[in-house]
Amino acid sequence: QVQLVESGGGLVQPGGSLRLSCAASGGIYSINVMGWYRQAPGKERELVADISSGGSTNYGDSVKGRFAISRDNAQHMVYLQMNSLKPEDTAVYYCKGEILSRGRWSNYWGQGTQVTVSS
């Protein structure tokens, strides 16, 4: 059973930094794109950043230049370094992976981790 588990969320002051981690486990044969999405109260879930297995990255416009995504293919991990955080970055952050398990490609999501940016 494939599982994605996020960690690293919390409360941080504006201008601060946080690093999110996501660990994928359970019957994984291969992982294609891994990404981070976020959802603020009353808003739709949006792409924060994603990264291919080859290391190509894609960022949402609101986080370009402030956030950096990376991954460890051997450990099935993806990270999100968030710098210069703003109150509008407050949201639940979700990890997503395109994963080959039991002969089938599927999208899997983590349970989410809360990030709150406030003074």
Side-chain angles (χ1 to χ4, degrees), residues 41-77:
K43 295 188 177 181
E44 293 186 354
R45 191 172 296 190
E46 64 175 356
L47 172 71
V48 177
D50 61 28
I51 182 168
S52 71
S53 57
S56 296
T57 58
N58 179 44
Y59 292 92
D61 288 341
S62 63
V63 306
K64 286 179 180 177
R66 300 187 298 123
F67 290 10
I69 190 170
S70 61
R71 65 189 282 175
D72 182 331
N73 289 332
Q75 298 297 322
H76 298 328
M77 298 283 296

Side-chain angles (χ1 to χ4, degrees), residues 3-7 45 92-95 109-114:
Q3 287 187 321
L4 276 67
V5 179
E6 303 100 334
S7 61
R45 191 172 296 190
V92 178
Y93 284 69
Y94 297 91
C95 174
W109 292 86
Q111 81 288 350
T113 186
Q114 177 70 46

Side-chain angles (χ1 to χ4, degrees), residues 12-115:
V12 62
Q13 292 187 344
S17 298
L18 279 176
R19 187 183 192 228
L20 304 183
S21 300
C22 173
S25 64
I28 295 171
Y29 185 80
S30 182
I31 304 179
N32 189 14
V33 177
M34 298 189 80
W36 290 95
Y37 290 72
R38 67 186 182 187
Q39 188 166 19
K43 295 188 177 181
E44 293 186 354
R45 191 172 296 190
E46 64 175 356
L47 172 71
V48 177
D50 61 28
I51 182 168
S52 71
S53 57
S56 296
T57 58
N58 179 44
Y59 292 92
D61 288 341
S62 63
V63 306
K64 286 179 180 177
R66 300 187 298 123
F67 290 10
I69 190 170
S70 61
R71 65 189 282 175
D72 182 331
N73 289 332
Q75 298 297 322
H76 298 328
M77 298 283 296
V78 64
Y79 306 96
L80 185 69
Q81 179 65 43
M82 305 186 293
N83 300 324
S84 303
L85 282 160
K86 304 175 181 180
E88 50 264 44
D89 294 317
T90 296
V92 178
Y93 284 69
Y94 297 91
C95 174
K96 176 187 174 184
E98 297 176 5
I99 296 173
L100 177 61
S101 177
R102 298 183 179 181
R104 181 176 180 178
W105 285 99
S106 299
N107 289 322
Y108 293 88
W109 292 86
Q111 81 288 350
T113 186
Q114 177 70 46
V115 171

